[in-house]
Amino acid sequence: MATSIFSTLSAKLQAFYDRFPLYETQDSTSRHLIAAPSKPVLWIAPRLRSDTTSYDWVSSDPSSLRFQLLFLLAGVDAEWKEWETESTAPEGKLPTLVLPEKIVPASEVRAWLDAEHPLYDIKSDFHGYPNATLEAQARAFGRLATDKIYPAYMASLASSQTSVARLALLLPNPPTLLGGLTSPLPSLGQLKRVDLESIKREGAEAIRALGVRLVADGTGPDDWFLGCSTPTPLDCLVVSHLFLILHTLPTSNPLRRAIDADEPLKRYVERFFQKVDPSSSSSST
């Protein structure tokens, strides 16, 4: 009986999707990956177009920017190229790394970086942190960025039902049945349960928590998050989000207000970029 139900459901879903045939576009994977490069190429979301920053190499997407910062911090000699439509990338995600010998999808880029250009001793017990307590705190603050600040940033950019539906799938606790078997597309009722303003408020609170910790660590001009003497992957994760908030959102946005009200946090973001910027004399690359 169950098999019959799912067979009928599958047939109905197939009939629905058959109404929207797929076509090859100029952003197809094959167009981007025609020839093997002579050095690593990191395909990223389109670059940020903003009059408020001189860093013209940064991606407009936090995930792509995070990996740009990781590559710069690790001293990887790589080229950035823009991939216009993320859904056409391998795994449907960016960034994608193309090497002379292979293609590395988004889910494997960090593993490749850790293996080939480690930012810390990969045999260490605490992933580069001096003790288990700081390692656990780094994970916790990392989750603030991915689970609170990133959804809040996406909520700030959401301008249609489609973007709200995509945002809902990023939430730690998405609305029930969203995109489920019984509904190929989210219903209006499901989308209404996505409280954009609440998501933004939680993101702003997370930013303030980052600022409080930064001050508590007594971070000076030569220190980084959690009091580390050199930047860590956590700095790349945090800065990639804060930078884009500063340079894409209006001053009235709660996320932007949370950063603007915290001068030490703003200086921390700029100091990180001054360190890794390829055109800067103080850059490590």
Side-chain angles (χ1 to χ4, degrees), residues 76-193:
V76 182
D77 181 18
E79 180 182 0
W80 320 131
K81 287 190 177 182
E82 296 179 73
W83 194 301
E84 294 297 330
T85 307
E86 183 176 29
S87 60
T88 64
E91 297 185 340
K93 296 179 180 179
L94 291 172
T96 291
L97 177 64
V98 180
L99 303 172
E101 69 279 9
K102 64 178 179 178
I103 298 171
V104 183
S107 64
E108 300 175 17
V109 175
R110 180 62 189 276
W112 176 87
L113 185 65
D114 287 345
E116 300 296 329
H117 302 273
L119 287 167
Y120 54 85
D121 183 359
I122 59 176
K123 295 181 180 179
S124 66
D125 293 332
F126 310 116
H127 295 89
Y129 292 96
N131 54 60
T133 299
L134 281 181
E135 181 194 20
Q137 291 176 357
R139 292 182 183 278
F141 281 107
R143 285 194 295 272
L144 273 185
T146 57
D147 294 354
K148 297 297 182 182
I149 299 176
Y150 180 61
Y153 177 67
M154 296 299 292
S156 299
L157 299 178
S159 59
S160 66
Q161 290 182 1
T162 299
S163 54
V164 173
R166 181 186 176 193
L167 165 66
L169 297 176
L170 299 174
L171 302 178
N173 298 300
T176 56
L177 297 182
L178 189 62
L181 283 175
T182 59
S183 175
L185 298 175
S187 70
L188 290 177
Q190 290 166 340
L191 294 183
K192 288 178 180 177
R193 290 202 293 272

Side-chain angles (χ1 to χ4, degrees), residues 35-50:
S38 58
K39 67 178 182 179
V41 174
L42 190 68
W43 287 91
I44 59 173
R47 286 179 171 84
L48 176 66
R49 271 69 177 179
S50 173

